[in-house]
Coordinates of all heavy atoms in Angstrom, one line a residue:
T1 N 1.8 -16.9 15.9 CA 2.9 -16.0 16.3 C 4.1 -16.8 17.0 O 5.1 -16.0 17.4 CB 2.4 -14.9 17.3 OG1 2.0 -15.6 18.5 CG2 1.2 -14.1 16.7
G2 N 4.1 -18.0 16.9 CA 5.1 -18.8 17.7 C 6.6 -18.4 17.1 O 7.6 -18.5 17.8
A3 N 6.6 -18.1 15.9 CA 7.9 -17.8 15.2 C 8.4 -16.4 15.5 O 9.5 -16.0 15.0 CB 8.0 -18.1 13.7
M4 N 7.7 -15.6 16.3 CA 8.0 -14.2 16.5 C 8.7 -14.0 17.8 O 8.6 -12.7 18.3 CB 6.7 -13.4 16.3 CG 6.1 -13.5 15.0 SD 4.4 -12.8 15.0 CE 4.7 -11.3 15.8
T5 N 9.2 -14.9 18.4 CA 9.8 -14.7 19.8 C 10.9 -13.8 19.9 O 11.2 -13.3 20.9 CB 10.1 -16.1 20.4 OG1 11.0 -16.7 19.5 CG2 8.8 -16.9 20.7
G6 N 11.5 -13.6 18.8 CA 12.7 -12.7 18.7 C 12.4 -11.2 18.5 O 13.3 -10.4 18.6
L7 N 11.0 -10.9 18.4 CA 10.7 -9.5 18.1 C 10.9 -8.7 19.4 O 10.7 -9.2 20.5 CB 9.3 -9.4 17.8 CG 8.9 -9.8 16.3 CD1 7.4 -9.7 16.1 CD2 9.6 -8.9 15.3
P8 N 11.3 -7.4 19.3 CA 11.3 -6.6 20.6 C 10.0 -6.6 21.2 O 8.8 -6.7 20.6 CB 11.6 -5.3 20.0 CG 12.3 -5.5 18.7 CD 11.5 -6.8 18.1
A9 N 10.0 -6.5 22.6 CA 8.7 -6.5 23.4 C 7.6 -5.5 23.0 O 6.5 -5.9 23.0 CB 9.1 -6.4 24.9
P10 N 8.0 -4.2 22.7 CA 6.9 -3.4 22.3 C 6.2 -3.7 21.0 O 5.0 -3.6 21.0 CB 7.7 -2.0 22.1 CG 9.0 -2.2 22.8 CD 9.3 -3.6 22.8
V11 N 7.0 -4.3 20.0 CA 6.3 -4.8 18.8 C 5.4 -6.0 19.1 O 4.4 -6.0 18.6 CB 7.5 -5.2 17.8 CG1 6.8 -5.7 16.5 CG2 8.3 -3.9 17.5
R12 N 6.0 -6.9 19.9 CA 5.2 -8.1 20.2 C 4.0 -7.8 20.9 O 2.8 -8.4 20.5 CB 6.2 -9.1 21.0 CG 5.5 -10.5 21.1 CD 6.7 -11.5 21.6 NE 7.1 -11.1 22.9 CZ 8.4 -10.6 23.2 NH1 9.2 -10.6 22.2 NH2 8.7 -10.4 24.3
T13 N 4.0 -7.0 21.8 CA 2.8 -6.6 22.6 C 1.7 -5.9 21.8 O 0.6 -6.3 21.8 CB 3.2 -5.6 23.8 OG1 4.1 -6.3 24.6 CG2 1.9 -5.3 24.6
S14 N 2.2 -5.0 21.0 CA 1.2 -4.2 20.0 C 0.6 -5.2 19.0 O -0.6 -5.1 18.7 CB 1.9 -3.0 19.4 OG 2.4 -2.2 20.4
F15 N 1.4 -6.0 18.5 CA 1.0 -7.0 17.4 C 0.0 -8.0 17.9 O -1.0 -8.3 17.4 CB 2.2 -7.6 16.7 CG 1.7 -8.4 15.5 CD1 1.1 -7.9 14.4 CD2 2.0 -9.8 15.5 CE1 0.7 -8.5 13.3 CE2 1.6 -10.5 14.3 CZ 1.0 -9.9 13.3
F16 N 0.4 -8.6 19.1 CA -0.5 -9.5 19.7 C -1.9 -9.0 20.0 O -3.0 -9.5 19.8 CB 0.1 -9.9 21.1 CG 1.0 -11.1 20.9 CD1 1.5 -11.4 19.7 CD2 1.6 -11.8 22.0 CE1 2.6 -12.3 19.5 CE2 2.5 -12.7 21.8 CZ 3.0 -13.1 20.5
K17 N -1.9 -7.6 20.4 CA -3.2 -6.9 20.7 C -4.0 -6.8 19.3 O -5.2 -7.1 19.3 CB -3.0 -5.5 21.2 CG -4.2 -4.6 21.3 CD -5.3 -5.1 22.2 CE -6.3 -4.0 22.5 NZ -7.1 -3.6 21.3
A18 N -3.3 -6.4 18.2 CA -4.0 -6.4 17.0 C -4.5 -7.7 16.5 O -5.7 -7.8 16.0 CB -3.1 -5.8 15.9
L19 N -3.8 -8.8 16.8 CA -4.2 -10.1 16.3 C -5.4 -10.6 17.2 O -6.3 -11.2 16.6 CB -3.1 -11.1 16.4 CG -2.1 -11.1 15.3 CD1 -1.2 -12.4 15.4 CD2 -2.6 -10.9 13.9
S20 N -5.4 -10.3 18.4 CA -6.4 -10.6 19.3 C -7.7 -10.0 18.9 O -8.8 -10.7 18.9 CB -6.2 -10.3 20.8 OG -5.1 -11.0 21.2
D21 N -7.7 -8.7 18.5 CA -8.8 -8.0 18.0 C -9.3 -8.7 16.6 O -10.5 -8.9 16.4 CB -8.6 -6.6 17.6 CG -8.4 -5.8 19.0 OD1 -8.8 -6.3 20.0 OD2 -7.8 -4.6 18.9
L22 N -8.4 -9.0 15.7 CA -8.7 -9.7 14.5 C -9.4 -11.0 14.5 O -10.4 -11.2 13.9 CB -7.4 -9.7 13.5 CG -7.6 -10.3 12.2 CD1 -8.6 -9.5 11.3 CD2 -6.3 -10.5 11.6
L23 N -8.8 -11.8 15.4 CA -9.3 -13.2 15.5 C -10.2 -13.4 16.5 O -11.0 -14.4 16.4 CB -8.0 -14.1 15.7 CG -7.0 -14.1 14.7 CD1 -5.8 -15.0 15.2 CD2 -7.5 -14.6 13.4
G24 N -10.5 -12.5 17.4 CA -11.6 -12.6 18.4 C -11.5 -13.9 19.2 O -10.3 -14.3 19.6

């Protein structure tokens, strides 16, 4: 996700949560 620093905070937070679940 390093290239996603420009995303709005709500999007970044929700997506990080989804990736954390996916990748464990």
Side-chain angles (χ1 to χ4, degrees):
T1 60
M4 299 167 50
T5 54
L7 285 178
V11 178
R12 192 166 59 249
T13 300
S14 298
F15 186 62
F16 280 12
K17 170 64 167 63
L19 283 195
S20 295
D21 290 341
L22 175 62
L23 297 176

